Amino acid sequence: MASNIDMISLLQSKFGEKIQIQPGVSGTASIVANNGLHHDVLAEMIAADEKTGIVAMTGLDFGQTLGVYYHVRTAKPFFTIKAEVPKADPKIRSVVDIHPGARFHELEVTDLFGVVFVGNEYDGHFVLSENWPDGVYPLRKDVDPTKVKLVPTPEREANLPAEGRQVKIIIGPQHPALLEPEKFSVTVDGETVTKVEPRIGYVHRGIEKSTESRTYLQDIYLVERVCGICNPAHAYGFVGAVEKILKPDVPERARYLRVIALELNRLHSHLLVLGHAGLEIGYETVFQYFWRDREPIMDLIELTSGNRVYGSLITVGGVRRDITAEQIPKIKSVLNDLRGKIPFYRKIYLDEPTIRLRMKEVGILSREDALKLSVVGPIARGSGVDIDVRKDIPYEAYGEIPFKEIVYPDGDVWARMNVRMDEVEESLNILDYALDHLPSGPIRVDVARSVPVGEAVCSLEAPRGELFYFVKSNGTDMPERVKIRTPTFANIPSFLKTAIGESIADIPSNFVSLDPCFSCTDR
Amino acid sequence: MTDTKTWARVKSPWVLHFNSGACNGCDIEIVALLTPKYDVERFGIKLEPSPRHADVLLVTGCVTQQCAERLKRVYDQMPQPKFVVAIGACACSGGVFAGNYNTLGGVDKVIPVTAYIPGCPPRPEAIIDGVVKLLNAINPPKQKKAVEA
Amino acid sequence: MIDLILIFRILVFPGFTFILFLTLFCDWVERKLEARIQNRVGPMVAGPGGILQPLADFIKLLTKEDIEPRGVKKAVFRFAPMVAFSIMVFAMCFLPIDGASVLSSGGFSGDLIVILAFATIANFLLFMAGWASANPYGTIGSARVLTQFLGYDIPLYLLALTPAFLVGSLSVFEIAGAAWPAIILAPWAFVLFIITLQAELEKDPFDVPHSESEVVGGLETEYTGAKLAFLHLTRDVQVVFGSALVVTLFLGGANGPMIAGLEWLLQPIYFVIKLLIVVVISEYITTVVARLRIDQVLTGNWKILLPAAIISLMITVALVTWVYNPLSIGV
C-alpha cells in the first residue's frame, strides 16, 4: 500500500520541476500539472496504487482560464490534480483511456463549463435540459443563467428499433421502478440487454450555481436539500469542507453528536433500500416490514434533530441541538427493539429462496471493474473492495469508535444487499458506543460569518457510499465554488456495465441494488 | 345516483405519484404513507402505476425544465375527473430552488392544482390531512344537488 | 314457472348477482388479509371494516372518463374486457355453487373440459385486450400473459384430470359429489394444483404480467373507466373461479354435514366457506414470496410442474387401478 510520502516523492522523482506540489491543499496535497501532464500523473498514480480512482472532477472559472481539478482517491491519502486551459480554446486530454470511471465526470464538466475533453466528446446535453441553448455554460461566472433564452425542445427520441432484431425500450422518465424521473434507453436483443444509455438531468436544479449566491449559513440548508434521504451527510460534507478552511475548534461532544446524526441517517436509509428492493422484486411484505421498522428510527431522528427528514442538525462549529440525559434510555430502547428484529431480516436476505433466485448471480461486478469504475460504498464493498471513508480517513469521532468494515466478495445484487443488512447492525453498534461514550461539554463554538480565501475537500461515507464536497472560498460570506459529487453519480457506470448481457427482467433488482438517488446525481 | 357516484369517488381515490425534480424527501414520505404506520389503504387510497388509472396526481418537486413537458403529458393522460395535489414547498412555490436557472418553481406554472400541502417535507400526517380535505371538497355542496335534480 | 326459477337462478342466485358480490367480497378478503399479514389494517372507511371498498372502486371506475387512445384496435379494445368478464361468469355458472349447476341442475358429462376451455378463452381475450391497446407495456404485459397461460394450462388440465380419474367421470357435478374428495385420495395433486393455479391466476410468485417495476400496469396500462373496471373484475372473477374449481374438484364441492330440509341454505354456505379457505391459502402464498423472473417462471413450468403433473397423473391412474378400485374407494 502506497503511503502518503511515497506518492509525492514518487511523482517528484518522475516529473521533477514540471509539476508543482502544494502540500496540505485540497486533500493531502495538490499537484499542479498543466500542459497535458495531468494524464501522465494520473497514470503514474494508478500504476502505483490499485485503489487509485477519480472521486470527482471540478470545473472552475478563473476569468481568462478554466480550471479542471481531478480529485483523486488512493488507498489512504487524497490528492487533487490541477490543470488549467485557456477559455478561448478549452481543450484538454481525456483520461477515460486509463480510468473509465472518469467518463461521467468529464461529461458533466463539458456540459456545465464547456471544457472539451479530447477523446471523450459528447453531442447534446448531459445534465442540462434539452431546451438549454448550446454554447452557454451556466456555471461560468460570466453567465447569468436567469437571462438565458431557452430554445424549443428538440424532437423526442422515438421507440424505434435500433438495428436488426434489436429493440430499444425506454424506461422512464415516469416509471414505477424509478421513484424519480430519469430516463434509460435499454437496447435489447430478445430478452438480453445489449446496451444501456442513461439520460440524467431530470432533477437538475442548479444547486452548485445557487450556492454561490447564498451565504455559508444559507448554503447548509440548501445543500441538505440535494437529497431528502441522506441530508445530514450532505450537511456534514459542506460543513466539513468549510471547517477545514476556518479551522474552528469543534467540541468533542459535537463530534459525537454528529456521528449519532450520521449513523441514524445511515440506519434509516439502509432500511429504506432493503425494503424498497423487496418492492422491486414483488416482495411487498418485506417492503412493509422494513418500512414499519424504519418509522421508529424516523421518530429518533425527530427526537434528536427536531424534524423527521430535514433536521439541519449539523452546522459550522458544531451542532444545533443537544441530546439530553433523559433521551438516551429512550433512544437505546428503540435501537434495542430494532436489534432484536435483525436476525429475522438477515435470515430473509440470506436464505429466502425466492430472494436468492432473484438476487444471486445477478448484476455481477468484478473487483477489477469496481476499481476501474471507481465505484463507492456498498457497491464496492459488495465486490470485495474494502473502501470505507470512515475507516480510511476517519472523520469526526469515527477514529475512536470500534466497528467492522463489511465486505462481501460475491459482487452480485445479493452481496450488495447483505452488505447493507450487516451495516445496519454495525450502525446500531456505533450508535450504542457513541451514546455510552458521549463526552460532556458545549455543543458548538461561534465561528466567523466570512470565510478566508482557501479551498478544501471533505469526503465522508454517506449511506450510499463516499460523498465528496469541494469548497473554494474567496474571503466573503459566500463561497466561490462548491462542488458536490454524490455516491450515485459514481455508481451509475457500474450499472451500465453489469446490466449488459443479462435479462431485461433483472434490471429493476440490479438497479435498486445501487440504492440510486437521482436528486443527488443531478443536483 | 349522484350520491352513489360521489360516495364511490370519495372512498376510492387512486393516486399517481409524479416527481418533477424533488429531492426525495417528499417522495419518501409519500411512499411511507403506504406502510403500516400510516397505511392510507384505510381510506381506499391506492398508488397506481399508470396515469390512466389515477384520480389524483400527487406532484412533488420544483418542476425542472426537463420535467415540465412530461408533467403536462402525464396530466393529460389522466381521465376526468382528476385532481392535482402539490406536495411540499417546492411543488407549491419552488421552495429553496425558486429562481434557479433550471427550475420553473411550482406545479401551478404547468398544470392546474387543486390542493397545496406545504412543508419541507410535509409530515405524512399532513399529506393525509391534505388528501382528506381534498376528498371533502369533492363532495358537492347540497345546493348543487338540488339544481341537478 | 320453471322458466322464472331458471331466470332467477341465472340472474340472482347463484348466478350473476351472487357471483358479482361474491367476487367483490373475495377481493375484500384478499386485500384485508394481505394488509393484516403486512401489519396494516387495509380498507377501513368504505362500509364496516372497509367491506364495500371493492364496490366503491368498481363504481368509481364506471363513472370515470373513458379514454380511447389513438392507435388502438377499436373493436377489440372496446369489447374484449366485457366479453372476457362474461365468459368467466358463464364458466362460473357451471360450477355447483349450491350443489347444482346454475343452468341445468346436473350439468352434463364432460362439462369439466368446457369450463377449462372457457377459462382459457377468457385468458386469451385478456391477452387480446392488452395487445390491442397500442402501448409497449400493454403489449409486453399481454405477451407475458400469453406465454404464461399457454405453458401452465397443460399441467392445470393434467392435474384437473386427477379427480376425474378418481371418480371416473368428466362431469363436475359427479366429481363434486364423490364420497371421498380428491384431497384425501390424492393430496399431492391438490398441492400441485394450488401451485399451478397460482401461476394461472398470475399471482405471486408468478405475477410477472403485473410486475409494476417491469411493465407498469401490464395489459391494463392504457385502459380507463368502465373497461378498466371490467378488466379488474375479470381478474377477480378468475380468482374466485380458480378457487371454486379447487373446491369442486378437490374439496367435495358443496357437500358437508347436512340437516334435512336445510340443504338449500347449507350447501352454498359450505361452498363459500371452502372457497374462502382456498382464497386465503392462495393469498397467503402471494404475500410470503417474491416474484420470479419471467424465464424462471417458464423453466419452472416446463422442467418442474409439467413432469410433476404427468407423474402425478400416472400415480393416480395406478392407484385407481390397483388400490382404490379393488377396495371400492372413491366412486
Side-chain angles (χ1 to χ4, degrees):
Chain A
M1 199 183 278
S3 84
N4 177 2
I5 298 131
D6 273 345
M7 193 65 92
I8 290 178
S9 49
L10 177 94
L11 291 175
Q12 258 168 346
S13 67
K14 201 86 185 172
F15 296 97
E17 291 303 306
K18 283 186 273 183
I19 58 169
Q20 288 98 51
I21 310 270
Q22 304 172 328
V25 179
S26 293
T28 312
S30 286
I31 303 143
V32 182
N34 284 321
N35 307 321
L37 273 176
H38 65 280
H39 184 274
D40 306 329
V41 170
L42 184 68
E44 206 56 53
M45 289 170 81
I46 291 174
D49 185 345
E50 60 153 14
K51 277 193 187 166
T52 305
I54 289 188
V55 168
M57 281 172 60
T58 310
L60 291 113
D61 186 354
F62 293 133
Q64 290 310 307
T65 56
L66 293 173
V68 181
Y69 286 8
Y70 297 78
H71 305 284
V72 180
R73 169 192 68 214
T74 61
K76 277 209 187 297
F78 208 98
F79 297 99
T80 298
I81 303 173
K82 296 180 176 174
E84 273 182 52
V85 288
K87 217 177 209 175
D89 180 31
K91 281 208 173 74
I92 192 166
R93 188 174 171 198
S94 162
V95 295
V96 282
D97 51 333
I98 50 171
H99 188 70
R103 184 168 161 246
F104 273 27
H105 298 298
E106 290 186 347
L107 293 180
E108 192 197 275
V109 176
T110 305
D111 209 12
L112 297 178
F113 277 93
V115 179
V116 178
F117 290 87
V118 180
N120 185 21
E121 288 94 349
Y122 190 77
D123 201 21
H125 287 304
F126 183 66
V127 288
L128 293 174
S129 66
E130 299 294 345
N131 57 4
W132 189 264
D134 288 333
V136 181
Y137 306 105
L139 257 67
R140 286 193 186 179
K141 292 280 179 197
D142 50 8
V143 174
D144 182 359
T146 51
K147 297 216 169 69
V148 170
K149 238 183 119 195
L150 299 173
V151 296
T153 312
E155 287 284 303
R156 284 188 341 117
E157 199 175 356
N159 271 13
L160 287 178
E163 50 203 50
R165 299 179 53 216
Q166 310 220 323
V167 179
K168 203 177 216 179
I169 296 175
I170 294 184
I171 301 180
Q174 208 273 329
H175 190 274
L178 309 167
L179 270 180
E180 298 167 82
E182 215 72 84
K183 194 164 89 181
F184 288 88
S185 312
V186 183
T187 313
V188 289
D189 183 357
E191 284 265 318
T192 316
V193 178
T194 55
K195 198 175 174 195
V196 186
E197 292 160 281
R199 173 67 175 95
I200 65 169
Y202 284 85
V203 205
H204 181 64
R205 290 151 288 170
I207 291 181
E208 286 182 9
K209 180 80 177 180
S210 39
T211 53
E212 294 165 13
S213 55
R214 285 165 165 82
T215 65
Y216 285 95
L217 193 63
Q218 289 172 321
D219 277 343
I220 298 175
Y221 297 92
L222 183 63
V223 296
E224 271 195 321
R225 278 151 183 84
V226 169
C227 174
I229 304 175
C230 46
N231 54 77
H234 281 277
Y236 177 71
F238 181 75
V239 165
V242 173
E243 281 179 355
K244 277 183 188 164
I245 306 174
L246 269 174
K247 301 196 174 60
D249 195 13
V250 180
E252 271 295 294
R253 189 174 174 87
R255 294 173 57 227
Y256 270 81
L257 289 173
R258 283 178 178 183
V259 167
I260 291 172
L262 290 169
E263 287 306 316
L264 278 176
N265 176 245
R266 186 184 323 278
L267 212 51
H268 107 75
S269 174
H270 277 355
L271 291 175
L272 182 149
V273 71
L274 286 165
H276 186 221
L279 202 59
E280 297 292 313
I281 60 167
Y283 205 157
E284 212 189 308
T285 311
V286 161
F287 161 70
Q288 300 280 6
Y289 280 17
F290 271 104
W291 281 60
R292 175 195 66 194
D293 292 332
R294 176 178 162 271
E295 282 301 327
I297 303 297
M298 299 308 283
D299 292 345
L300 284 190
I301 293 175
E302 187 175 357
L303 183 77
T304 54
S305 74
N307 201 351
R308 264 170 70 86
V309 179
Y310 287 118
S312 306
L313 186 75
I314 298 170
T315 188
V316 182
V319 294
R320 271 195 322 106
R321 248 172 112 109
D322 203 356
I323 294 179
T324 61
E326 300 86 66
Q327 286 171 343
I328 291 181
K330 180 161 188 261
I331 297 173
K332 291 194 97 171
S333 84
V334 172
L335 295 178
N336 263 332
D337 282 351
L338 181 60
R339 195 189 297 276
K341 285 167 182 157
I342 298 277
F344 169 68
Y345 288 141
R346 169 157 310 157
K347 219 172 98 201
I348 289 182
Y349 265 102
L350 281 177
D351 295 330
E352 213 283 326
T354 42
I355 280 201
R356 287 185 76 97
L357 271 174
R358 287 304 303 273
M359 291 188 168
K360 264 286 188 194
E361 311 276 317
V362 171
I364 298 180
L365 181 71
S366 68
R367 188 170 191 275
E368 289 69 42
D369 286 337
L371 288 169
K372 237 186 249 162
L373 296 171
S374 68
V375 298
V376 295
I379 324 297
R381 292 197 287 277
S383 291
V385 183
D386 55 333
I387 49 170
D388 186 331
V389 187
R390 291 176 294 173
K391 279 274 186 220
D392 299 340
I393 317 169
Y395 50 97
E396 298 308 309
Y398 280 115
E400 302 152 26
I401 300 174
F403 67 98
K404 280 207 301 279
E405 191 175 343
I406 313 290
V407 178
Y408 275 69
D410 314 49
D412 50 12
V413 173
W414 180 85
R416 284 167 222 156
M417 297 322 284
N418 274 297
V419 166
R420 297 198 175 95
M421 194 69 243
D422 290 0
E423 280 185 0
V424 167
E425 201 168 2
E426 282 308 313
S427 281
L428 288 173
N429 292 340
I430 295 174
L431 282 167
D432 268 353
Y433 184 94
L435 286 169
D436 286 338
H437 296 77
L438 202 58
S440 53
I443 56 164
R444 69 184 288 190
V445 290
D446 285 340
V447 288
R449 285 283 171 106
S450 305
V451 178
V453 180
E455 57 181 55
V457 296
C458 177
S459 76
L460 72 152
E461 190 71 16
R464 287 162 182 73
E466 180 181 13
L467 173 64
F468 169 87
Y469 266 76
F470 169 83
V471 175
K472 186 171 163 58
S473 56
N474 56 6
T476 63
D477 59 351
M478 294 181 191
E480 169 89 8
R481 172 90 172 94
V482 176
K483 163 75 195 173
I484 310 164
R485 199 284 277 127
T486 56
T488 310
F489 193 85
N491 286 337
I492 283 184
S494 81
F495 166 70
L496 304 184
K497 184 166 177 65
T498 53
I500 289 168
E502 296 196 341
S503 161
I504 187 166
D506 276 333
I507 282 192
S509 77
N510 188 2
F511 193 59
V512 76
S513 77
L514 297 186
D515 198 355
C517 174
F518 290 119
S519 56
C520 284
T521 311
D522 296 349
R523 296 161 314 243
Chain B
M1 248 344 254
T2 325
D3 273 352
T4 324
K5 211 157 106 180
T6 316
W7 170 82
R9 277 179 190 165
V10 171
K11 297 296 179 195
S12 162
W14 291 358
V15 302
L16 175 77
H17 167 218
F18 186 89
N19 177 332
S20 69
C23 66
N24 263 339
C26 303
D27 310 84
I28 297 299
E29 299 295 61
I30 289 176
V31 181
L33 287 179
L34 307 175
T35 59
K37 188 168 176 186
Y38 302 104
D39 188 27
V40 288
E41 205 194 352
R42 285 178 296 159
F43 307 107
I45 298 177
K46 232 167 60 164
L47 202 58
E48 280 289 318
S50 164
R52 299 269 191 227
H53 305 178
D55 308 305
V56 181
L57 182 63
L58 305 179
V59 192
T60 58
C62 50
V63 191
T64 60
Q65 296 282 1
Q66 188 86 316
C67 279
E69 194 196 347
R70 194 73 202 179
L71 175 61
K72 180 125 193 10
R73 264 174 68 91
V74 165
Y75 178 74
D76 289 342
Q77 281 172 348
M78 286 170 59
Q80 292 282 3
K82 53 190 169 187
F83 307 95
V84 179
V85 181
I87 293 181
C90 301
C92 293
S93 67
V96 283
F97 308 117
N100 282 12
Y101 60 87
N102 209 29
T103 62
L104 289 172
V107 177
D108 48 11
K109 303 271 192 311
V110 187
I111 52 174
V113 176
T114 325
Y116 298 86
I117 304 177
C120 187
R123 299 178 61 88
E125 293 94 330
I127 302 179
I128 296 178
D129 186 46
V131 173
V132 168
K133 273 189 182 142
L134 171 77
L135 296 180
N136 290 339
I138 297 174
N139 240 333
K142 289 275 183 271
Q143 309 95 295
K144 201 183 161 200
K145 214 172 72 186
V147 173
E148 273 182 12
Chain C
M1 199 57 204
I2 288 174
D3 282 342
L4 272 183
I5 290 176
L6 185 65
I7 288 168
F8 177 79
R9 281 182 65 83
I10 290 174
L11 287 185
V12 185
F13 180 86
F16 181 77
T17 312
F18 177 70
I19 292 172
L20 182 66
F21 281 98
L22 182 65
T23 305
L24 295 174
F25 177 68
C26 285
D27 190 23
W28 174 77
V29 170
E30 279 188 320
R31 283 176 74 170
K32 203 76 181 165
L33 186 76
E34 188 185 2
R36 290 311 297 156
I37 291 177
Q38 292 171 350
N39 231 313
R40 298 183 287 124
V41 283
M44 272 297 281
V45 180
I51 195 162
L52 296 180
Q53 189 62 55
L55 185 68
D57 290 350
F58 183 64
I59 296 176
K60 180 210 68 182
L61 283 177
L62 287 181
T63 63
K64 289 284 283 188
E65 183 191 4
D66 207 338
I67 299 175
E68 206 164 87
R70 240 181 304 159
V72 298
K73 312 231 175 349
K74 285 205 180 73
V76 185
F77 188 79
R78 275 182 203 157
F79 295 111
M82 279 288 243
V83 179
F85 171 70
S86 324
I87 289 181
M88 280 320 292
V89 175
F90 192 51
M92 274 292 286
C93 287
F94 282 99
L95 295 172
I97 295 172
D98 61 346
S101 165
V102 174
L103 300 173
S104 60
S105 54
F108 55 91
S109 80
D111 51 3
L112 175 61
I113 301 295
V114 175
I115 294 172
L116 291 173
F118 275 142
T120 306
I121 292 172
N123 254 332
F124 192 75
L125 279 166
L126 287 184
F127 154 75
M128 302 243 293
W131 196 258
S133 68
N135 177 301
Y137 296 118
T139 316
I140 299 173
S142 53
R144 285 181 168 191
V145 170
L146 188 69
T147 24
Q148 191 159 326
F149 87 75
L150 281 185
Y152 279 87
D153 260 0
I154 304 167
L156 188 83
Y157 279 40
L158 289 176
L159 289 165
L161 286 180
T162 306
F165 268 108
L166 290 172
V167 178
S169 162
L170 277 174
S171 150
V172 281
F173 186 70
E174 283 176 35
I175 293 172
W180 294 68
I183 187 171
I184 299 173
L185 297 179
W188 65 88
F190 173 73
V191 174
L192 287 174
F193 195 82
I194 291 271
I195 295 172
T196 317
L197 201 64
Q198 207 72 7
E200 193 78 352
L201 299 176
E202 291 143 20
K203 295 178 96 181
D204 264 334
F206 305 101
D207 75 336
V208 281
H210 307 278
S211 154
E212 283 189 8
S213 54
E214 291 160 35
V215 294
V216 191
L219 60 88
E220 296 165 358
T221 307
E222 282 291 341
Y223 280 90
T224 49
K227 300 186 196 96
L228 181 65
F230 279 102
L231 279 180
H232 275 276
L233 208 56
T234 312
R235 291 251 303 134
D236 295 337
V237 178
Q238 277 182 326
V239 172
V240 176
F241 168 79
S243 312
L245 198 63
V246 175
V247 174
T248 312
L249 295 179
F250 288 91
L251 300 180
N255 291 349
M258 284 298 159
I259 303 164
L262 282 177
E263 283 93 345
W264 61 272
L265 179 67
L266 284 176
Q267 279 184 330
I269 290 179
Y270 284 138
F271 194 89
V272 170
I273 289 174
K274 288 173 182 175
L275 188 121
L276 286 180
I277 293 172
V278 179
V279 168
V280 167
I281 294 175
S282 153
E283 191 57 30
Y284 182 76
I285 297 175
T286 305
T287 48
V288 297
V289 290
R291 178 191 306 125
L292 296 173
R293 215 163 50 211
I294 180 84
D295 58 310
Q296 289 165 341
V297 167
L298 296 179
T299 349
N301 174 35
W302 299 108
K303 286 198 182 146
I304 302 166
L305 262 182
L306 185 59
I310 293 173
I311 293 168
S312 152
L313 198 62
M314 277 155 50
I315 294 174
T316 315
V317 173
L319 275 178
V320 168
T321 319
W322 289 302
V323 184
Y324 293 160
N325 272 359
L327 297 173
S328 35
I329 300 171
V331 184

